Amino acid sequence: MAYPDGLLSEDEYVVVHTHPHWKMLVVPVVLFLIVVGGGSYLAALAAELPWNVPLWIALGAVGGVLIIWWTLAPLVRWRTTHFVVTSRRLMVREGVFTRTGVDIPMWRINSVRFSHGIVDRLFGCGTLIVESASDEPLEFDDIPKVERVHTLLYREVNDESEQDDQERWERR
C-alpha cells in the first residue's frame, strides 16, 4: 500500500513505506487464543449449572471486552502506524483517534544507525536510530528489514547532501 500522494510535495516520492513488524502482534494473538480457550472452558463448566444463560452472557461480555482491549486495539494500532521514507524526509505517523506524527527533513539527519538482537534477527526486524539536529536520537522499534531501510535512508540522506553541495557550488 503506497503512502497517499496528496501528503507529498511536488517532486517528492516514497522510497520506503512500512508498518511495524508483525512480531508485535504475537502477544495479542496468544492472548486472543487464551481468552477464547478459557471462555469456552468456563462456558462448558457453566452448562451444568441451572443459571447458565446469565453466566454465559457475562462470560461473553467479559471475553468480548478482553478481546477488544488485548487483541483488536493492538491490531488497529499496528495497522495505523506508518514509517515512511521519502526522497525529502522521514515521516512517522501513529494513532487512531489521536494522530501524532514526526517529520524529519533529510538535510537535518546527521546519522542513521540500526540495532537488532538475536530475536529481532530471527524475525528480520530491528530498531532504527536516527540522529538529527534535535537533542535526543529518535529510535523507531520493530522496523521490518531494518538493514535495508537503514541503507535506503542513508542513501537518501547522502543524495540530499550531495544535491545541496552541488547547488551551493553552482551558486558561486
Side-chain angles (χ1 to χ4, degrees), residues 28-39:
V29 168
V30 169
L31 290 173
F32 173 80
L33 295 173
I34 289 171
V35 167
V36 169

Side-chain angles (χ1 to χ4, degrees), residues 128-143:
L128 190 70
I129 302 152
V130 177
E131 292 183 25
S132 66
S134 66
D135 296 335
E136 300 279 326
L138 297 172
E139 293 188 10
F140 303 103
D141 296 323
D142 296 329
I143 302 295

Side-chain angles (χ1 to χ4, degrees), residues 52-125:
N52 62 0
V53 173
L55 190 57
W56 283 343
I57 292 171
L59 283 172
V62 169
V65 167
L66 291 176
I67 286 172
I68 289 170
W69 189 266
W70 288 344
T71 304
L72 190 60
L75 177 65
V76 171
R77 199 173 309 118
W78 171 81
R79 187 71 182 115
T80 58
T81 300
H82 300 270
F83 181 85
V84 182
V85 176
T86 72
S87 56
R88 291 190 166 186
R89 58 189 161 152
L90 167 67
M91 299 186 293
V92 178
R93 300 288 187 267
E94 299 176 312
V96 180
F97 300 114
T98 304
R99 300 275 297 162
T100 59
V102 174
D103 285 15
I104 305 171
M106 288 297 174
W107 61 270
R108 302 262 327 236
I109 295 175
N110 296 333
S111 70
V112 182
R113 297 180 289 139
F114 70 91
S115 69
H116 50 162
I118 189 73
V119 174
D120 287 341
R121 291 180 73 182
L122 289 172
F123 280 111
C125 64

